[in-house]
Amino acid sequence: MPNARNTLYRHWLLLQTLPRAPRASSASEITERLANEGFKVTKRSVERDLQSLSTVFPLVCDDSQTPFLWSWSKDAPSFSLPGMSPLQALVLLTAQEHLKDLLPQGQLAQLSPLLEQARNVIGQQKSRPGLGKWAQTVAVIPTTQPTLPPDTKPQTLEILHDALLDQRVVRVSYSSRAAGATKVFDVHPLGFLQRSRVTYLACTINEHTDARLLAVHRIGTAELLDMPCRPPSSETLAEARKLVEAGFADRGQISLIIRMPSFQAEHLAESPLSRDQAMTHPDADDWVEIRATVRDTDQLRWWLTAYGDAVEVVEPAELREWIAQRHAAASQRYASPPR
């Protein structure tokens, strides 16, 4: 005999998943959604549930076609109960784990009750035991050598998040690595960008309108001013994002030609450098030639040098010469014993 508590929970999930008219769902669609939440019930059971619940709740059934379609009445009051489905709980906990550095710090405390509820919901899923272990069964693996995140002052990050949420100017002191000095200026925040373990604040500075990037961990003090931000152009944040993606240097588009051992190039056959990438068959030395239209960025150059002698840049000539100089300098350094 079905557990009364489980039946009540199933009814709550069913009501949660029903759309509002004119959208509608069939009993088969609802059965599949319940199965995704861990309730293995038949379509006939769902049809009985819908018939029973329609006597209490403002549900409507369109029986003018087959299969019948169910929905909340167009004029029904909003249905909201302090509950959470297993799927919602899983998404919330996953977001907390992977997006915590990008979420507004001042708002995280308000999520604590929801996060605790999510953990309780996951822990009670006896019918789908793998749900509670999901965090241990998936992982995001970095493609570069992992490093520890730089130290960032929590209070500074909270002020920057408030400035972005309230669209206000913030006065910061910033230690520039390039200039080797600390400067104070007013910034108009545009957004946050994360590259590896470093978070950058995209902004405009003082009276300037071009996008700048500030490494958040180099911001010493931050003071929220009672001054609205200058409205940015629609392209400004996109420009800042491209700058971070390029490794802070973009020399323009090039027609790249490289040679690699075929076994090294296998991953590029599956995940190409560009949509127009072309790869030749292995030659007598079992090397392949790869042609692709890419942008000459620092990110590209770091990627090429990381292969060492397992890649040869054929064109463009300027990039080939740059790579050759880097390898020659490294060879000369390794030719002598360490100091």
Side-chain angles (χ1 to χ4, degrees):
M1 186 170 181
N3 182 283
R5 180 178 176 181
N6 287 343
T7 301
L8 179 62
Y9 189 31
R10 187 181 78 241
H11 286 171
W12 176 85
L13 285 174
L14 186 154
L15 292 171
Q16 282 281 81
T17 195
L18 269 181
R20 182 180 297 273
R23 296 174 56 224
S25 295
S26 67
S28 295
E29 292 171 331
I30 297 170
T31 302
E32 183 177 352
R33 292 170 194 161
L34 290 175
N36 290 336
E37 299 288 1
F39 285 95
K40 306 295 184 181
V41 293
T42 65
K43 181 170 74 73
R44 182 60 189 141
S45 294
V46 170
E47 291 172 338
R48 285 196 295 266
D49 288 344
L50 288 165
Q51 290 287 352
S52 176
L53 290 169
S54 66
T55 64
V56 181
F57 295 95
L59 309 183
V60 294
C61 175
D62 180 5
D63 56 5
S64 63
Q65 56 184 301
T66 304
F68 294 173
L69 297 177
W70 290 83
S71 64
W72 282 96
S73 168
K74 180 179 179 181
D75 301 322
S78 298
F79 177 74
S80 178
L81 288 174
M84 183 181 298
S85 75
L87 180 59
Q88 291 170 334
L90 182 61
V91 170
L92 185 59
L93 292 175
T94 303
Q96 183 222 9
E97 175 64 26
H98 295 286
L99 302 178
K100 56 188 176 184
D101 292 335
L102 296 179
L103 294 173
Q105 295 297 300
Q107 313 298 315
L108 286 178
Q110 300 179 28
L111 293 178
S112 295
L114 286 175
L115 295 171
E116 183 61 31
Q117 183 181 0
R119 283 186 282 269
N120 290 335
V121 169
I122 293 296
Q124 294 171 6
Q125 296 309 301
K126 307 301 182 185
S127 62
R128 308 191 85 181
L131 201 61
K133 301 177 181 178
W134 190 259
Q136 289 79 46
T137 57
V138 297
V140 177
I141 308 299
T143 57
T144 58
Q145 172 62 33
T147 60
L148 297 176
D151 291 332
T152 301
K153 297 179 180 178
Q155 63 271 28
T156 297
L157 193 57
E158 183 173 347
I159 291 173
L160 295 177
H161 282 162
D162 287 341
L164 186 61
L165 290 171
D166 298 333
Q167 293 293 280
R168 290 164 62 184
V169 176
V170 60
R171 181 165 294 159
V172 304
S173 63
Y174 187 74
S175 300
S176 172
R177 186 170 63 181
T182 300
K183 296 183 178 180
V184 176
F185 36 71
D186 295 343
V187 301
H188 300 249
L190 300 172
F192 288 95
L193 299 167
Q194 192 165 25
R195 187 173 189 272
S196 186
R197 304 304 299 272
V198 180
T199 301
Y200 296 92
L201 174 68
C203 61
T204 57
I205 296 176
N206 294 333
E207 71 280 1
H208 303 288
T209 58
D210 56 318
R212 306 288 183 88
L213 291 169
L214 302 180
V216 173
H217 65 275
R218 296 198 194 107
I219 296 177
T221 61
E223 177 189 359
L224 197 60
L225 303 182
D226 190 16
M227 183 188 308
C229 285
R230 180 172 49 248
S233 67
S234 58
E235 298 85 5
T236 308
L237 186 57
E239 292 172 358
R241 176 172 179 169
K242 289 180 181 178
L243 188 60
V244 173
E245 289 175 344
F248 305 101
D250 188 340
R251 302 165 190 85
Q253 186 170 282
I254 59 172
S255 296
L256 179 69
I257 304 177
I258 60 176
R259 295 181 69 248
M260 300 180 72
S262 60
F263 77 92
Q264 292 276 14
E266 286 178 357
H267 73 286
L268 292 179
E270 300 171 347
S271 182
L273 291 169
S274 67
R275 294 190 181 278
D276 67 350
Q277 175 180 293
M279 185 182 299
T280 64
H281 293 292
D283 59 18
D285 297 324
D286 201 31
W287 281 53
V288 297
E289 182 180 273
I290 302 166
R291 295 171 177 257
T293 302
V294 297
R295 301 197 69 81
D296 183 4
T297 65
D298 277 355
Q299 182 71 31
L300 173 69
R301 297 188 176 206
W302 294 334
W303 178 76
L304 289 169
T305 54
Y307 276 99
D309 63 352
V311 66
E312 177 190 359
V313 175
V314 180
E315 293 183 11
E318 186 276 332
L319 180 57
R320 178 182 174 89
E321 178 63 23
W322 184 87
I323 295 287
Q325 290 176 358
R326 291 292 297 268
H327 287 324
S331 178
Q332 184 176 5
R333 182 173 298 274
Y334 278 94
S336 303
R339 296 177 182 177

